Coordinates of all heavy atoms in Angstrom, one line a residue:
M1250 N 0.8 -1.2 0.0 CA 0.0 0.0 0.0 C 0.9 1.3 0.0 O 1.8 1.4 0.8 CB -0.9 -0.1 1.2 CG -1.9 1.1 1.4 SD -2.9 1.4 -0.1 CE -3.3 3.1 0.1
V1251 N 0.6 2.2 -0.9 CA 1.4 3.4 -1.0 C 0.7 4.5 -0.2 O -0.5 4.6 -0.2 CB 1.4 3.9 -2.5 CG1 2.7 4.7 -2.7 CG2 1.3 2.8 -3.4
E1252 N 1.5 5.2 0.5 CA 1.0 6.3 1.4 C 1.0 7.7 0.6 O 2.0 7.9 -0.1 CB 1.8 6.5 2.6 CG 2.0 5.2 3.4 CD 1.3 5.3 4.8 OE1 1.3 6.4 5.3 OE2 0.9 4.3 5.3
Q1253 N 0.1 8.5 0.9 CA 0.1 9.8 0.3 C 1.1 10.7 1.0 O 1.2 10.6 2.2 CB -1.3 10.4 0.4 CG -1.5 11.6 -0.6 CD -2.9 12.1 -0.7 OE1 -3.8 11.4 -0.3 NE2 -3.1 13.3 -1.1
L1254 N 1.8 11.5 0.2 CA 2.8 12.4 0.8 C 2.3 13.8 0.9 O 1.7 14.3 -0.1 CB 4.0 12.5 -0.2 CG 5.3 11.6 0.0 CD1 6.3 12.0 -1.1 CD2 5.9 11.8 1.4
R1255 N 2.4 14.4 2.0 CA 1.9 15.8 2.1 C 2.8 16.6 3.1 O 3.7 16.1 3.7 CB 0.5 16.0 2.6 CG -0.4 14.8 2.5 CD -1.6 14.9 3.5 NE -2.5 13.8 3.3 CZ -3.7 13.9 2.8 NH1 -4.1 15.0 2.3 NH2 -4.4 12.8 2.7
G1256 N 2.4 17.9 3.1 CA 3.0 18.8 4.2 C 4.5 18.9 4.2 O 5.1 19.0 3.1
A1257 N 5.0 19.0 5.4 CA 6.4 19.3 5.6 C 7.3 18.2 5.0 O 8.3 18.5 4.4 CB 6.7 19.4 7.1
L1258 N 6.9 16.9 5.1 CA 7.7 15.9 4.5 C 7.8 16.0 3.0 O 8.9 15.8 2.4 CB 7.1 14.5 4.9 CG 7.8 13.3 4.3 CD1 9.2 13.2 4.8 CD2 7.1 12.0 4.7
L1259 N 6.7 16.4 2.4 CA 6.7 16.6 0.9 C 7.6 17.7 0.6 O 8.5 17.6 -0.4 CB 5.3 16.9 0.4 CG 5.2 17.3 -1.0 CD1 5.7 16.3 -2.0 CD2 3.7 17.7 -1.4
D1260 N 7.6 18.8 1.3 CA 8.4 20.0 1.0 C 9.9 19.6 1.2 O 10.7 20.0 0.4 CB 8.1 21.1 2.0 CG 6.7 21.8 1.6 OD1 6.3 21.6 0.4 OD2 6.1 22.4 2.5
E1261 N 10.2 18.8 2.2 CA 11.5 18.4 2.5 C 12.1 17.5 1.4 O 13.2 17.7 0.9 CB 11.5 17.6 3.8 CG 12.8 17.6 4.6 CD 12.5 16.9 5.9 OE1 11.8 17.4 6.8 OE2 13.1 15.7 6.0
L1262 N 11.2 16.6 0.9 CA 11.7 15.7 -0.2 C 11.9 16.5 -1.5 O 12.8 16.2 -2.3 CB 10.7 14.6 -0.4 CG 10.7 13.5 0.7 CD1 9.6 12.6 0.6 CD2 12.0 12.7 0.6
L1263 N 11.0 17.5 -1.7 CA 11.1 18.3 -2.9 C 12.4 19.0 -3.0 O 13.0 19.2 -4.1 CB 9.9 19.3 -3.0 CG 8.6 18.9 -3.6 CD1 7.6 20.0 -3.7 CD2 8.9 18.3 -5.0
Q1264 N 12.9 19.4 -1.8 CA 14.2 20.1 -1.8 C 15.3 19.3 -2.2 O 16.4 19.8 -2.5 CB 14.4 20.8 -0.4 CG 13.6 22.1 -0.3 CD 13.6 22.6 1.1 OE1 14.5 22.4 1.9 NE2 12.6 23.4 1.5
T1265 N 15.1 17.9 -2.1 CA 16.2 17.0 -2.5 C 16.2 16.8 -4.0 O 17.1 16.2 -4.5 CB 16.1 15.7 -1.7 OG1 15.0 15.0 -2.3 CG2 16.0 15.8 -0.2
L1266 N 15.2 17.3 -4.7 CA 15.2 17.2 -6.1 C 15.6 18.5 -6.8 O 15.8 19.5 -6.1 CB 13.7 16.9 -6.6 CG 13.1 15.6 -6.0 CD1 11.6 15.6 -6.4 CD2 13.8 14.4 -6.5
D1267 N 15.8 18.5 -8.1 CA 16.3 19.6 -8.8 C 15.3 20.3 -9.7 O 14.9 19.9 -10.8 CB 17.5 19.1 -9.7 CG 18.1 20.3 -10.5 OD1 18.0 21.4 -10.1 OD2 18.7 20.0 -11.6
G1268 N 14.7 21.4 -9.1 CA 13.8 22.2 -9.9 C 12.3 21.8 -10.0 O 11.6 22.3 -10.9
W1269 N 11.9 20.8 -9.2 CA 10.5 20.4 -9.2 C 9.7 21.3 -8.4 O 10.1 21.7 -7.3 CB 10.4 19.0 -8.7 CG 11.0 18.0 -9.7 CD1 12.3 17.6 -9.8 CD2 10.3 17.2 -10.7 NE1 12.5 16.7 -10.8 CE2 11.3 16.4 -11.3 CE3 9.0 17.1 -11.1 CZ2 10.9 15.5 -12.4 CZ3 8.6 16.3 -12.1 CH2 9.6 15.5 -12.8
T1270 N 8.5 21.6 -8.9 CA 7.6 22.5 -8.1 C 6.2 21.9 -7.9 O 5.8 21.0 -8.7 CB 7.4 23.9 -8.8 OG1 6.9 23.6 -10.1 CG2 8.7 24.7 -8.8
K1271 N 5.5 22.3 -6.9 CA 4.1 21.8 -6.7 C 3.2 22.4 -7.8 O 3.3 23.6 -8.1 CB 3.6 22.1 -5.3 CG 4.3 21.3 -4.3 CD 3.6 21.3 -2.9 CE 4.3 22.4 -2.1 NZ 3.8 22.4 -0.7
V1272 N 2.2 21.7 -8.3 CA 1.3 22.2 -9.2 C 0.2 22.9 -8.5 O -0.3 22.4 -7.5 CB 0.7 21.0 -10.1 CG1 -0.4 21.5 -11.0 CG2 1.8 20.3 -10.9
E1273 N -0.2 24.1 -8.9 CA -1.3 24.8 -8.3 C -2.6 24.1 -8.5 O -3.0 23.7 -9.6 CB -1.5 26.2 -9.1 CG -0.5 27.3 -8.6 CD -1.1 28.1 -7.5 OE1 -2.3 28.5 -7.7 OE2 -0.4 28.4 -6.5
G1274 N -3.4 23.9 -7.4 CA -4.7 23.4 -7.5 C -4.8 21.9 -7.8 O -5.8 21.3 -8.1
R1275 N -3.6 21.2 -7.6 CA -3.6 19.8 -7.8 C -2.5 19.2 -7.1 O -1.4 19.8 -6.9 CB -3.4 19.5 -9.3 CG -3.6 18.1 -9.7 CD -3.3 17.7 -11.1 NE -3.0 16.3 -11.2 CZ -2.5 15.7 -12.2 NH1 -2.3 16.4 -13.3 NH2 -2.3 14.4 -12.2
D1276 N -2.7 18.0 -6.5 CA -1.6 17.3 -5.8 C -0.7 16.6 -6.8 O -0.8 15.4 -7.0 CB -2.3 16.2 -4.9 CG -2.1 16.6 -3.4 OD1 -1.5 17.6 -3.1 OD2 -2.7 15.9 -2.6
A1277 N 0.2 17.4 -7.3 CA 1.2 16.8 -8.3 C 2.4 17.7 -8.3 O 2.4 18.8 -7.8 CB 0.5 16.8 -9.7
I1278 N 3.5 17.2 -8.9 CA 4.7 18.0 -9.1 C 5.0 18.1 -10.6 O 4.6 17.3 -11.4 CB 5.9 17.4 -8.3 CG1 6.2 16.0 -8.7 CG2 5.7 17.6 -6.8 CD1 7.5 15.4 -8.0
Y1279 N 5.8 19.2 -10.9 CA 6.0 19.6 -12.3 C 7.4 20.0 -12.5 O 8.0 20.7 -11.6 CB 5.1 20.7 -12.7 CG 5.4 21.4 -13.9 CD1 5.0 20.9 -15.2 CD2 6.2 22.5 -13.9 CE1 5.4 21.5 -16.4 CE2 6.6 23.2 -15.1 CZ 6.2 22.6 -16.3 OH 6.5 23.2 -17.5
K1280 N 8.0 19.7 -13.6 CA 9.3 20.2 -14.1 C 9.3 20.3 -15.6 O 8.9 19.4 -16.3 CB 10.4 19.4 -13.5 CG 11.8 19.9 -13.9 CD 12.9 19.1 -13.3 CE 14.3 19.5 -13.8 NZ 15.4 18.8 -13.1
R1281 N 10.0 21.4 -16.1 CA 10.2 21.4 -17.5 C 11.7 21.0 -17.8 O 12.6 21.6 -17.2 CB 10.0 22.9 -18.0 CG 10.6 23.1 -19.4 CD 10.1 24.3 -20.1 NE 8.6 24.2 -20.4 CZ 7.9 25.2 -21.0 NH1 8.5 26.4 -21.3 NH2 6.7 25.0 -21.2
F1282 N 11.9 20.0 -18.6 CA 13.2 19.6 -19.0 C 13.5 20.2 -20.4 O 12.7 20.2 -21.3 CB 13.3 18.1 -19.1 CG 13.3 17.4 -17.7 CD1 12.1 17.1 -17.1 CD2 14.5 17.1 -17.1 CE1 12.1 16.5 -15.9 CE2 14.5 16.5 -15.8 CZ 13.3 16.2 -15.2
E1283 N 14.7 20.7 -20.6 CA 15.1 21.2 -21.9 C 16.4 20.5 -22.3 O 17.4 20.4 -21.6 CB 15.3 22.7 -21.8 CG 13.9 23.4 -21.9 CD 13.9 24.9 -21.9 OE1 14.6 25.4 -21.0 OE2 13.3 25.5 -22.7
F1284 N 16.4 20.1 -23.6 CA 17.6 19.4 -24.1 C 18.1 20.2 -25.4 O 17.5 21.2 -25.8 CB 17.1 18.0 -24.5 CG 16.6 17.2 -23.3 CD1 15.3 17.2 -23.0 CD2 17.5 16.5 -22.5 CE1 14.8 16.5 -21.9 CE2 17.0 15.8 -21.4 CZ 15.6 15.8 -21.1
T1285 N 19.2 19.7 -26.0 CA 19.8 20.4 -27.1 C 18.9 20.4 -28.3 O 18.8 21.3 -29.1 CB 21.2 19.9 -27.4 OG1 21.1 18.5 -27.5 CG2 22.2 20.3 -26.4
D1286 N 18.2 19.3 -28.5 CA 17.3 19.2 -29.7 C 16.3 18.1 -29.5 O 16.3 17.4 -28.4 CB 18.1 19.0 -31.0 CG 19.0 17.7 -30.9 OD1 18.7 16.8 -30.1 OD2 20.0 17.7 -31.6
F1287 N 15.5 17.8 -30.5 CA 14.4 16.8 -30.4 C 15.0 15.4 -30.1 O 14.5 14.6 -29.3 CB 13.6 16.8 -31.6 CG 12.5 15.7 -31.7 CD1 11.4 15.8 -30.9 CD2 12.7 14.6 -32.4 CE1 10.4 14.8 -30.9 CE2 11.8 13.5 -32.5 CZ 10.7 13.6 -31.7
N1288 N 16.1 15.1 -30.8 CA 16.7 13.8 -30.8 C 17.1 13.5 -29.3 O 16.8 12.3 -28.8 CB 17.9 13.8 -31.6 CG 18.1 12.6 -32.4 OD1 17.1 11.9 -32.7 ND2 19.3 12.3 -32.8
V1289 N 17.7 14.4 -28.7 CA 18.2 14.2 -27.3 C 17.0 14.1 -26.4 O 16.9 13.2 -25.5 CB 19.1 15.3 -26.9 CG1 19.6 15.1 -25.4 CG2 20.4 15.4 -27.8
A1290 N 16.0 15.0 -26.6 CA 14.8 14.9 -25.7 C 14.1 13.6 -25.9 O 13.7 13.0 -24.9 CB 13.8 16.1 -26.1
F1291 N 13.9 13.1 -27.1 CA 13.2 11.9 -27.3 C 14.0 10.7 -26.8 O 13.4 9.7 -26.3 CB 12.7 11.7 -28.7 CG 11.6 10.8 -28.9 CD1 10.3 11.3 -28.6 CD2 11.7 9.5 -29.2 CE1 9.2 10.5 -28.7 CE2 10.6 8.7 -29.3 CZ 9.4 9.2 -29.1
G1292 N 15.3 10.8 -26.9 CA 16.1 9.7 -26.4 C 16.0 9.6 -24.9 O 15.8 8.5 -24.4
W1293 N 15.9 10.7 -24.2 CA 15.7 10.7 -22.8 C 14.4 10.2 -22.4 O 14.2 9.3 -21.5 CB 15.9 12.2 -22.3 CG 15.6 12.4 -20.8 CD1 16.5 12.2 -19.8 CD2 14.4 12.9 -20.3 NE1 15.8 12.5 -18.6 CE2 14.6 12.9 -18.9 CE3 13.1 13.3 -20.8 CZ2 13.6 13.3 -18.0 CZ3 12.2 13.7 -19.9 CH2 12.4 13.7 -18.5
M1294 N 13.4 10.6 -23.2 CA 12.0 10.1 -22.9 C 12.0 8.5 -23.1 O 11.3 7.8 -22.3 CB 11.0 10.7 -23.9 CG 10.7 12.2 -23.6 SD 9.6 12.9 -24.8 CE 8.0 12.4 -24.1
T1295 N 12.7 8.0 -24.1 CA 12.7 6.6 -24.3 C 13.3 5.9 -23.1 O 12.8 4.8 -22.7 CB 13.4 6.3 -25.6 OG1 12.9 7.0 -26.7 CG2 13.4 4.8 -25.9
R1296 N 14.4 6.4 -22.7 CA 15.1 5.7 -21.5 C 14.2 5.8 -20.3 O 14.0 4.8 -19.5 CB 16.4 6.4 -21.2 CG 17.5 6.0 -22.2 CD 18.9 6.5 -21.8 NE 19.0 7.9 -21.9 CZ 19.3 8.6 -23.1 NH1 19.4 7.9 -24.2 NH2 19.4 9.9 -23.2
I1297 N 13.6 7.0 -20.1 CA 12.7 7.1 -18.9 C 11.4 6.2 -19.0 O 11.0 5.6 -18.1 CB 12.2 8.6 -18.8 CG1 13.4 9.5 -18.5 CG2 11.1 8.7 -17.7 CD1 14.2 9.2 -17.2
A1298 N 10.9 6.1 -20.2 CA 9.7 5.3 -20.5 C 10.0 3.8 -20.0 O 9.1 3.2 -19.4 CB 9.3 5.3 -21.9
M1299 N 11.2 3.3 -20.4 CA 11.5 1.9 -20.1 C 11.6 1.7 -18.5 O 11.2 0.7 -18.0 CB 12.7 1.5 -20.8 CG 12.4 1.3 -22.3 SD 13.8 0.6 -23.2 CE 14.9 1.9 -23.2
I1300 N 12.2 2.7 -17.9 CA 12.3 2.6 -16.4 C 11.0 2.8 -15.8 O 10.6 2.0 -14.8 CB 13.3 3.7 -15.9 CG1 14.7 3.4 -16.5 CG2 13.3 3.8 -14.4 CD1 15.7 4.6 -16.3
A1301 N 10.2 3.8 -16.2 CA 8.9 4.0 -15.7 C 8.0 2.7 -15.8 O 7.2 2.4 -14.9 CB 8.2 5.2 -16.4
E1302 N 8.1 2.1 -16.9 CA 7.3 0.9 -17.1 C 7.7 -0.2 -16.1 O 6.8 -0.9 -15.5 CB 7.5 0.4 -18.6 CG 6.8 -0.9 -18.9 CD 5.3 -0.8 -18.8 OE1 4.8 0.4 -18.7 OE2 4.6 -1.8 -18.9
K1303 N 9.0 -0.3 -15.9 CA 9.5 -1.3 -14.9 C 9.0 -0.9 -13.5 O 8.7 -1.8 -12.7 CB 11.0 -1.3 -14.9 CG 11.6 -2.3 -15.9 CD 13.0 -2.7 -15.5 CE 13.6 -3.5 -16.6 NZ 14.7 -2.8 -17.3
M1304 N 8.9 0.4 -13.2 CA 8.5 0.9 -11.9 C 6.9 0.8 -11.8 O 6.4 1.1 -10.7 CB 8.9 2.3 -11.7 CG 10.4 2.5 -11.5 SD 10.9 4.2 -11.6 CE 10.4 4.9 -10.0
D1305 N 6.3 0.5 -12.9 CA 4.8 0.6 -13.0 C 4.3 2.0 -12.5 O 3.4 2.1 -11.7 CB 4.2 -0.5 -12.1 CG 2.7 -0.7 -12.4 OD1 2.3 -0.4 -13.6 OD2 2.0 -1.2 -11.5
H1306 N 5.0 3.0 -12.9 CA 4.7 4.4 -12.6 C 4.9 5.3 -13.8 O 6.0 5.4 -14.2 CB 5.5 4.8 -11.4 CG 4.9 6.0 -10.7 ND1 3.7 6.0 -10.1 CD2 5.4 7.2 -10.5 CE1 3.4 7.1 -9.6 NE2 4.4 7.9 -9.8
H1307 N 3.8 5.8 -14.3 CA 3.9 6.5 -15.6 C 3.7 8.0 -15.5 O 2.8 8.5 -14.9 CB 2.8 5.8 -16.5 CG 2.9 4.3 -16.6 ND1 2.2 3.5 -15.9 CD2 3.8 3.6 -17.2 CE1 2.5 2.2 -16.1 NE2 3.6 2.3 -16.9
P1308 N 4.6 8.7 -16.2 CA 4.5 10.2 -16.2 C 3.4 10.7 -17.1 O 3.1 10.1 -18.1 CB 5.9 10.6 -16.7 CG 6.4 9.5 -17.5 CD 5.8 8.2 -16.9
E1309 N 2.9 11.9 -16.7 CA 2.1 12.7 -17.7 C 3.1 13.6 -18.3 O 3.8 14.4 -17.5 CB 1.1 13.5 -16.9 CG 0.1 12.6 -16.1 CD -0.8 13.4 -15.2 OE1 -1.1 14.6 -15.4 OE2 -1.1 12.8 -14.1
W1310 N 3.3 13.6 -19.6 CA 4.3 14.5 -20.2 C 3.9 14.9 -21.6 O 3.2 14.3 -22.3 CB 5.7 13.8 -20.1 CG 5.8 12.4 -20.7 CD1 4.9 11.7 -21.4 CD2 7.0 11.6 -20.6 NE1 5.4 10.5 -21.7 CE2 6.7 10.4 -21.2 CE3 8.3 11.7 -20.0 CZ2 7.6 9.3 -21.3 CZ3 9.1 10.7 -20.1 CH2 8.8 9.5 -20.7
L1311 N 4.5 16.1 -21.9 CA 4.3 16.7 -23.2 C 5.6 17.1 -23.8 O 6.4 17.8 -23.2 CB 3.4 17.9 -23.1 CG 3.2 18.8 -24.3 CD1 2.3 18.1 -25.3 CD2 2.6 20.1 -23.9
N1312 N 5.8 16.6 -25.0 CA 7.1 16.9 -25.7 C 6.8 17.9 -26.9 O 6.0 17.6 -27.7 CB 7.8 15.7 -26.2 CG 8.9 15.9 -27.2 OD1 8.8 15.3 -28.3 ND2 9.8 16.7 -26.9
V1313 N 7.5 19.0 -26.9 CA 7.6 19.9 -28.1 C 9.0 20.2 -28.4 O 9.7 20.8 -27.6 CB 6.8 21.2 -27.8 CG1 6.9 22.1 -29.0 CG2 5.4 21.0 -27.4
Y1314 N 9.5 19.7 -29.5 CA 10.9 19.8 -30.0 C 11.8 19.4 -28.9 O 12.0 18.2 -28.6 CB 11.1 21.2 -30.5 CG 12.5 21.4 -31.0 CD1 13.1 20.5 -32.0 CD2 13.3 22.5 -30.6 CE1 14.4 20.7 -32.4 CE2 14.6 22.6 -31.1 CZ 15.2 21.7 -32.0 OH 16.4 21.9 -32.4
N1315 N 12.6 20.3 -28.3 CA 13.6 19.9 -27.3 C 13.2 20.0 -25.9 O 13.9 19.9 -24.9 CB 14.8 20.9 -27.5 CG 14.5 22.3 -27.0 OD1 13.4 22.7 -27.1 ND2 15.5 23.0 -26.5
R1316 N 11.9 20.2 -25.7 CA 11.3 20.5 -24.4 C 10.4 19.3 -23.9 O 9.6 18.9 -24.8 CB 10.5 21.8 -24.5 CG 10.2 22.4 -23.2 CD 9.5 23.8 -23.6 NE 8.1 23.5 -23.9 CZ 7.4 24.2 -24.8 NH1 8.0 25.2 -25.5 NH2 6.1 24.0 -25.0
V1317 N 10.5 19.0 -22.7 CA 9.5 18.0 -22.1 C 9.0 18.5 -20.8 O 9.7 18.7 -19.9 CB 10.2 16.6 -21.9 CG1 9.1 15.6 -21.5 CG2 11.0 16.1 -23.1
D1318 N 7.6 18.7 -20.8 CA 7.0 19.2 -19.6 C 6.4 17.9 -18.9 O 5.6 17.2 -19.5 CB 5.8 20.1 -19.9 CG 6.3 21.5 -20.4 OD1 7.3 22.0 -19.8 OD2 5.7 22.1 -21.3
V1319 N 6.9 17.8 -17.7 CA 6.5 16.5 -16.9 C 5.7 16.8 -15.7 O 6.0 17.7 -14.9 CB 7.8 15.8 -16.5 CG1 7.4 14.5 -15.7 CG2 8.7 15.5 -17.6
T1320 N 4.6 16.1 -15.5 CA 3.8 16.2 -14.3 C 3.7 14.8 -13.7 O 3.5 13.8 -14.4 CB 2.4 16.7 -14.6 OG1 2.4 18.0 -15.2 CG2 1.5 16.8 -13.3
L1321 N 4.0 14.7 -12.4 CA 4.0 13.4 -11.7 C 3.0 13.4 -10.6 O 2.9 14.4 -9.8 CB 5.4 13.1 -11.1 CG 6.5 12.9 -12.1 CD1 7.8 12.6 -11.4 CD2 6.2 11.8 -13.1
A1322 N 2.2 12.4 -10.5 CA 1.2 12.2 -9.5 C 1.0 10.7 -9.4 O 1.3 9.9 -10.3 CB -0.1 12.9 -9.7
T1323 N 0.5 10.2 -8.2 CA 0.2 8.8 -8.0 C -1.3 8.7 -8.0 O -2.0 9.0 -7.1 CB 0.8 8.3 -6.7 OG1 2.2 8.5 -6.8 CG2 0.5 6.8 -6.5
H1324 N -1.9 8.2 -9.1 CA -3.3 8.1 -9.3 C -3.9 7.2 -8.2 O -5.0 7.4 -7.8 CB -3.6 7.7 -10.7 CG -2.9 8.4 -11.8 ND1 -2.3 7.9 -12.9 CD2 -2.6 9.8 -11.8 CE1 -1.7 8.8 -13.6 NE2 -1.9 10.0 -13.0
D1325 N -3.1 6.2 -7.9 CA -3.6 5.2 -6.9 C -3.9 5.8 -5.5 O -4.7 5.2 -4.8 CB -2.6 4.0 -6.7 CG -2.4 3.2 -8.0 OD1 -3.2 3.4 -8.9 OD2 -1.4 2.4 -8.0
V1326 N -3.3 6.9 -5.2 CA -3.5 7.6 -3.9 C -4.2 8.9 -4.1 O -4.5 9.6 -3.1 CB -2.3 7.8 -3.0 CG1 -1.6 6.4 -2.7 CG2 -1.3 8.7 -3.7
G1327 N -4.5 9.3 -5.3 CA -5.2 10.6 -5.6 C -4.3 11.7 -5.2 O -4.8 12.8 -4.7
G1328 N -3.0 11.6 -5.3 CA -2.1 12.7 -4.9 C -0.7 12.2 -5.1 O -0.4 11.6 -6.1
L1329 N 0.2 12.7 -4.2 CA 1.6 12.4 -4.4 C 2.1 11.2 -3.5 O 1.5 11.1 -2.4 CB 2.5 13.6 -4.1 CG 2.4 14.7 -5.2 CD1 2.8 16.0 -4.7 CD2 3.3 14.3 -6.4
S1330 N 3.1 10.5 -3.9 CA 3.6 9.5 -3.0 C 5.1 9.4 -3.3 O 5.7 10.1 -4.2 CB 3.0 8.1 -3.3 OG 3.5 7.6 -4.5
E1331 N 5.8 8.5 -2.5 CA 7.3 8.4 -2.7 C 7.6 7.9 -4.1 O 8.7 8.1 -4.6 CB 7.8 7.3 -1.7 CG 7.0 6.0 -1.7 CD 7.8 4.9 -1.1 OE1 8.5 5.1 -0.2 OE2 7.6 3.7 -1.6
R1332 N 6.6 7.2 -4.8 CA 6.9 6.8 -6.2 C 7.2 8.0 -7.1 O 8.0 7.9 -8.0 CB 5.6 6.1 -6.7 CG 5.3 4.8 -6.1 CD 4.2 4.2 -6.9 NE 3.6 3.0 -6.2 CZ 2.4 2.5 -6.6 NH1 1.8 3.0 -7.6 NH2 2.0 1.5 -6.0
D1333 N 6.5 9.1 -6.8 CA 6.8 10.3 -7.7 C 8.1 10.8 -7.4 O 8.8 11.3 -8.3 CB 5.7 11.4 -7.4 CG 4.3 10.8 -7.7 OD1 4.1 10.4 -8.8 OD2 3.5 10.7 -6.7
I1334 N 8.5 10.9 -6.2 CA 9.9 11.4 -5.8 C 10.9 10.5 -6.4 O 11.9 11.0 -7.0 CB 10.0 11.4 -4.2 CG1 8.9 12.2 -3.6 CG2 11.4 11.9 -3.9 CD1 8.9 13.6 -3.9
K1335 N 10.7 9.2 -6.4 CA 11.7 8.2 -7.0 C 11.8 8.4 -8.5 O 12.9 8.5 -9.0 CB 11.1 6.8 -6.7 CG 12.3 5.8 -6.3 CD 11.7 4.4 -6.0 CE 11.5 4.2 -4.5 NZ 11.0 2.9 -4.2
L1336 N 10.7 8.6 -9.2 CA 10.7 8.7 -10.6 C 11.3 10.1 -11.0 O 12.1 10.2 -11.9 CB 9.3 8.6 -11.2 CG 9.3 8.6 -12.8 CD1 10.3 7.6 -13.4 CD2 7.9 8.4 -13.3
A1337 N 11.0 11.1 -10.2 CA 11.6 12.5 -10.4 C 13.1 12.4 -10.3 O 13.8 13.0 -11.1 CB 11.0 13.5 -9.4
R1338 N 13.6 11.7 -9.3 CA 15.0 11.6 -9.1 C 15.7 10.9 -10.3 O 16.8 11.3 -10.7 CB 15.3 10.8 -7.8 CG 16.6 11.2 -7.1 CD 16.9 10.5 -5.8 NE 15.9 10.7 -4.7 CZ 15.7 11.8 -4.1 NH1 16.4 12.9 -4.3 NH2 14.8 11.8 -3.1
V1339 N 15.1 9.8 -10.7 CA 15.6 9.1 -11.9 C 15.7 10.1 -13.1 O 16.7 10.2 -13.8 CB 14.8 7.9 -12.2 CG1 15.2 7.3 -13.6 CG2 14.9 6.8 -11.2
M1340 N 14.6 10.9 -13.3 CA 14.6 11.8 -14.4 C 15.7 12.8 -14.3 O 16.3 13.2 -15.3 CB 13.2 12.5 -14.5 CG 12.1 11.6 -14.9 SD 10.5 12.5 -15.0 CE 9.5 11.4 -16.0
D1341 N 15.9 13.4 -13.1 CA 17.0 14.3 -12.9 C 18.3 13.7 -13.2 O 19.1 14.3 -13.9 CB 17.0 14.8 -11.4 CG 15.9 15.8 -11.1 OD1 15.2 16.3 -12.0 OD2 15.6 16.0 -9.9
Q1342 N 18.5 12.5 -12.7 CA 19.8 11.9 -12.9 C 20.2 11.6 -14.3 O 21.3 11.8 -14.8 CB 19.9 10.6 -12.0 CG 20.2 10.9 -10.6 CD 19.9 9.7 -9.6 OE1 19.4 8.7 -10.1 NE2 20.1 9.9 -8.4
I1343 N 19.1 11.1 -15.0 CA 19.4 10.7 -16.4 C 19.5 11.9 -17.4 O 20.0 11.9 -18.5 CB 18.3 9.7 -16.9 CG1 18.6 8.4 -16.1 CG2 18.4 9.4 -18.4 CD1 17.8 7.2 -16.4
S1344 N 18.9 13.1 -16.9 CA 18.9 14.3 -17.8 C 20.2 15.0 -17.7 O 20.5 15.9 -18.5 CB 17.8 15.2 -17.4 OG 18.0 15.8 -16.2
S1345 N 21.1 14.7 -16.7 CA 22.3 15.5 -16.5 C 23.5 14.8 -16.9 O 23.5 13.6 -17.2 CB 22.4 16.0 -15.0 OG 22.4 14.8 -14.2
Ligands
H2B2858 N1 1.2 5.7 -12.8 C1 1.0 6.8 -12.1 N2 1.6 7.9 -12.4 N3 0.3 6.7 -11.0 C2 -0.3 5.6 -10.6 O1 -0.9 5.6 -9.5 C3 -0.1 4.4 -11.4 C4 0.7 4.5 -12.5 N4 -0.6 3.3 -11.0 N5 0.8 3.5 -13.3 C5 -0.3 2.0 -11.7 C6 0.1 2.2 -13.1 C7 -1.5 1.1 -11.5 O2 -2.6 1.6 -12.2 C8 -1.3 -0.3 -11.9 C9 -2.5 -1.1 -11.7 O3 -0.2 -0.8 -11.1

């Protein structure tokens, strides 16, 4: 069973990530990733997609050219959970 993350603990964990912010009016986190071009952006998405599939945790994302806007939430808890933090961390690590 996954627990919903909120309040001070959520803020603390967010600070351990790079550039993720809370979404207004929704229990979710957001980050814009920018790459040198479409090829690099889509390569990153492909690597993340395979990891996300293994984690059984899927991002909401939109790609335009070299940019990927990512929103993470855990639908199973109707909010945020440690799964989102884990996937966000993987995204940060693989993008740098
Ligand atoms: N992805 C995301 N982002 N949140 C979830 O709660 C979620 C998921 N749940 N992928 C998984 C799949 C669930 O529906 C299956 C049954 O494990």
Side-chain angles (χ1 to χ4, degrees):
M1250 183 52 206
V1251 207
E1252 305 244 330
Q1253 196 171 341
L1254 264 183
R1255 333 160 182 255
L1258 177 58
L1259 171 60
D1260 290 337
E1261 206 173 290
L1262 286 169
L1263 272 184
Q1264 279 171 29
T1265 69
L1266 299 175
D1267 178 24
W1269 291 84
T1270 56
K1271 288 194 265 188
V1272 174
E1273 278 266 315
R1275 189 186 159 189
D1276 249 355
I1278 55 174
Y1279 166 85
K1280 181 175 174 179
R1281 168 166 290 180
F1282 287 89
E1283 283 181 308
F1284 301 91
T1285 48
D1286 57 25
F1287 174 75
N1288 223 23
V1289 177
F1291 203 79
W1293 176 81
M1294 290 178 82
T1295 305
R1296 286 190 287 282
I1297 296 298
M1299 289 188 287
I1300 295 167
E1302 179 61 12
K1303 276 204 186 109
M1304 291 168 75
D1305 194 25
H1306 198 61
H1307 304 102
E1309 298 168 33
W1310 53 9
L1311 170 71
N1312 164 235
V1313 179
Y1314 183 50
N1315 68 329
R1316 195 175 82 214
V1317 187
D1318 288 322
V1319 181
T1320 302
L1321 297 179
T1323 300
H1324 312 135
D1325 296 346
V1326 300
L1329 285 160
S1330 77
E1331 54 158 34
R1332 289 186 193 168
D1333 301 301
I1334 305 295
K1335 218 178 264 179
L1336 185 54
R1338 208 179 301 289
V1339 169
M1340 288 181 164
D1341 284 346
Q1342 278 161 2
I1343 292 182
S1344 72
S1345 57

